[in-house]
Amino acid sequence: MAITSNDTSITGLNIKHENAPVVGVLALQGDFREHIEMLNILGVVSCEIRLPSALCDLDALIIPGGESTTIARLVLQYGFLEPLRDFCASGRPVWGTCAGAILLARDVDELDRPGIQAMDIQIQRNAFGRQLQSFQSQVAIDGISDGEFPAVFIRAPAIIDVDASVEILATLPDGKIVAARQRNLLATVFHPELTTDVRLHNLFLSMID
Ligand code: GLN
């Protein structure tokens, strides 16, 4: 049975059990609980991260969807910016979903504060229109077998340009890039944690050494 801990009141908690990887989910705002739930389903040790000091215990980090301007504000307010940049530079896997992908991007339109800016992608916020234009679409993703993925786009951004070192994993028919990977960094502009499909979480977990 998986051992999980969502308790960040115990800062620096030593929650490594028999070398099982520990995956943190940044829990400042957004749908971090849904990611934790997915990790629980997969039997992965997980932890909600609310303080920069808790990052050191992790083998991988997920930055959830939500509202990127709010998350960016809280990242600054709680002193997360440099620790998150260091985490990305450490080589440990980091996955940004939707607003999380916005936070990871080197270049974003209309983000009023700096994000982490670790991944060489250019992102356009709200690229599909307003909340009412949210949609679900079956998307073929490189590295995901057994058929297309049910991708949920909620006031989603799009990746509109990437550096040559970025691997494009999924593109919509109109050319918008919706999933990409660069070294240890994974970005998806949709929400796998809102589905019952664990394949993208498994892909991310496979990036842990
Ligand atoms: N539109 C949001 C933003 O720009 C992202 C939406 C989401 O994470 N589902 O932050």
Side-chain angles (χ1 to χ4, degrees):
M1 176 168 149
I3 303 158
T4 61
S5 175
N6 299 333
D7 189 352
T8 48
S9 61
I10 311 170
T11 305
L13 182 70
N14 181 8
I15 48 177
K16 284 188 186 265
H17 297 283
E18 296 164 17
N19 298 323
V22 180
V23 177
V25 184
L26 191 66
L28 298 176
Q29 190 267 338
D31 65 345
F32 51 89
R33 284 187 196 88
E34 287 78 358
H35 276 291
I36 294 276
E37 194 55 41
M38 278 298 226
L39 295 168
N40 286 347
I41 288 167
L42 292 168
V44 174
V45 181
S46 65
C47 184
E48 294 181 7
I49 302 299
R50 293 198 178 80
L51 291 172
S53 56
L55 290 170
C56 63
D57 291 329
L58 304 180
D59 296 288
L61 177 70
I62 296 175
I63 305 175
E67 178 54 43
S68 56
T69 51
T70 305
I71 298 175
R73 180 165 55 78
L74 294 170
V75 160
L76 283 179
Q77 193 172 323
Y78 287 93
F80 264 110
L81 191 56
E82 287 310 319
L84 285 172
R85 287 178 172 168
D86 291 347
F87 194 99
C88 290
S90 74
R92 286 172 285 176
V94 181
W95 179 16
T97 56
C98 205
I102 295 172
L103 269 289
L104 279 182
R106 180 86 57 204
D107 188 1
V108 187
D109 69 320
E110 291 179 45
L111 190 65
D112 51 358
R113 292 171 181 79
I116 302 163
Q117 298 172 315
M119 188 171 178
D120 295 314
I121 57 176
Q122 186 184 353
I123 278 208
Q124 182 189 353
R125 293 181 60 215
N126 306 326
F128 299 90
R130 305 172 66 122
Q131 192 83 3
L132 279 175
Q133 275 92 51
S134 299
F135 63 102
Q136 181 166 346
S137 180
Q138 294 294 121
V139 177
I141 301 176
D142 274 6
I144 299 283
S145 51
D146 299 327
E148 296 175 327
F149 193 90
V152 177
F153 296 83
I154 302 175
R155 207 158 63 86
I159 301 169
I160 52 176
D161 201 7
V162 301
D163 187 80
S165 61
V166 175
E167 194 185 345
I168 294 171
L169 301 181
T171 309
L172 294 185
D174 66 3
K176 290 192 179 81
I177 300 163
V178 294
R181 179 168 52 195
Q182 184 182 33
R183 300 182 301 272
N184 57 316
L185 307 177
L186 177 66
T188 57
V189 304
F190 50 89
H191 288 268
E193 73 285 3
L194 297 183
T195 72
T196 53
D197 193 321
V198 295
R199 287 178 294 167
L200 260 168
H201 283 76
N202 273 330
L203 177 76
F204 178 61
L205 295 170
S206 76
M207 291 165 63
I208 301 174
D209 282 340

